[in-house]
Amino acid sequence: MLQLESLSDRTRMPQLTKTAVLVIGGAEDKVHGREILHTFFARAGAADARIAIFPSASREPTIIGDRYRSIFEEMGAKVIKVLDIREREQAEDPHFQEFIQECTGVFLTGGDQLRLCGLLADTPLIEKMRMRVHSGEITLAGTSAGAAVMGHHMIAGGGSGECPNRSLVDMATGLGIIPEVIVDQHFHNRNRMSRLMSAIAAHPDRLGIGIDEDTCAMFEKDGILQVMGKGTVTIIDPGKMSHTNHAAVSATEPVSLHNLQVHILGYGDRYHLHQRCIFPPEA
């Protein structure tokens, strides 16, 4: 996650010269402008990109892997490999590890985040990938389930449309790429505000990130995230929260959260992950 480049308006792409982590809310445009996917492709090296695709979250990994392969082939990536891992033992394959060591971009597809973590978490392959992401050597993108796994604490499932309560969200351990955050996806599209608030009530030392469909929170190495796509990114910041009854109520009783900060970020808006402050779009 490197120095943020400027973005002037919706009609111009940001300067795409640095690695980043792209956390995508799902259902990203795969047909028309493909802004988010083009951004990943460019950040991964454009014509020199060597892209690894993990379709492991999907129940149809061959179909989804081939779909993204064809997209990045059409864009002109130099090398594309689908790492179709269906058993944990495959993550120890030396050919897979060799490609992760030499690739410039990794794409995690959608599906079931529990399946993805069950197959890949704590494997040598993912540890190698995480080290290269944190050292700024590769660009990583995850969509839908691939976005949910980015934090240390992961939303594994739950309901929607209710007031915040403990039973509304099921938590598990993610891949810890951006450990400070808890990510929820398809956010406003599936009415998941209360679900993310319930997760933050249980883990008030984290930052909630809710990402709409066809929307991306792009994290740079300097700690700034920038929004792109058609929807919004919701930030739930419990840093100044003065009270919650989370530990005192039953699983189905409403959870109180006092003095919670909520930010809704649109296209081009930027937010500093560590300073917890907003920057307007650059002129």
Side-chain angles (χ1 to χ4, degrees):
M1 296 177 283
L2 301 177
Q3 181 62 42
L4 187 70
E5 304 291 341
S6 63
L7 175 67
S8 60
D9 54 46
R10 294 184 67 94
T11 64
R12 196 179 79 182
M13 298 279 286
Q15 297 297 312
L16 304 173
T17 56
K18 312 283 188 181
T19 60
V21 177
L22 283 74
V23 188
I24 308 165
E28 72 282 355
D29 179 7
K30 302 178 183 68
V31 178
H32 302 293
R34 295 176 173 174
E35 179 192 18
I36 295 170
L37 295 177
H38 271 293
T39 299
F40 166 73
F41 166 71
R43 290 290 184 111
D48 293 322
R50 303 173 65 87
I51 296 174
I53 299 169
F54 284 92
S56 302
S58 175
R59 293 182 180 178
E60 298 179 323
T62 301
I63 294 173
I64 197 71
D66 287 346
R67 185 175 191 187
Y68 281 103
R69 185 207 299 270
S70 66
I71 289 172
F72 296 130
E73 281 179 348
E74 183 180 329
M75 290 180 183
K78 186 175 183 178
V79 180
I80 304 163
K81 288 190 178 182
V82 178
L83 278 56
D84 187 356
I85 295 174
R86 306 188 189 192
E87 302 291 341
R88 279 185 64 87
E89 293 75 16
Q90 292 176 269
E92 299 180 7
D93 187 317
H95 298 292
F96 287 172
Q97 294 192 48
E98 181 180 352
F99 189 68
I100 286 297
Q101 188 59 44
E102 66 184 28
C103 73
T104 60
V106 174
F107 195 94
L108 308 176
T109 75
D112 181 343
Q113 52 264 43
L114 278 176
R115 173 177 169 80
L116 179 62
C117 287
L119 289 171
L120 297 178
D122 300 321
T123 63
L125 193 64
I126 288 301
E127 290 305 309
K128 192 180 296 290
M129 181 198 77
R130 179 163 42 208
M131 288 175 59
R132 296 199 68 211
V133 170
H134 288 169
S135 62
E137 297 176 10
I138 60 174
T139 289
L140 172 66
T143 184
S144 189
V149 301
M150 291 293 181
H152 172 74
H153 298 293
M154 177 182 76
I155 294 178
S160 63
E162 302 177 26
C163 63
N165 66 80
R166 288 164 49 194
S167 67
L168 193 61
V169 61
D170 301 319
M171 301 297 297
T173 302
L175 298 183
I177 305 298
I178 312 173
E180 305 95 326
V181 304
I182 298 175
V183 175
D184 210 346
Q185 7 75 19
H186 304 280
F187 193 62
H188 284 116
N189 311 83
R190 299 186 184 177
N191 196 12
R192 288 178 167 171
M193 178 72 83
S194 289
R195 183 167 92 163
L196 184 55
M197 286 184 171
S198 301
I200 289 299
H203 302 283
D205 58 332
R206 310 293 157 145
L207 196 69
I209 309 286
I211 309 174
D212 295 348
E213 294 178 358
D214 196 16
T215 307
C216 172
M218 182 167 64
F219 290 80
E220 308 282 356
K221 193 173 184 180
D222 59 6
I224 294 178
L225 73 83
Q226 177 176 320
V227 179
M228 67 173 62
K230 293 182 178 178
T232 62
V233 171
T234 300
I235 308 289
I236 299 179
D237 179 4
K240 298 180 180 179
M241 186 170 65
S242 57
H243 169 74
T244 178
N245 63 349
H246 181 270
V249 295
S250 70
T252 57
E253 289 182 293
V255 169
S256 300
L257 302 106
H258 297 179
N259 208 31
L260 197 66
Q261 280 193 306
V262 177
H263 308 291
I264 309 294
L265 308 184
Y267 192 99
D269 285 345
R270 297 169 300 147
Y271 182 86
H272 200 294
L273 185 64
H274 307 301
Q275 297 179 9
R276 298 198 175 185
C277 62
I278 297 172
F279 300 99
E282 291 187 338

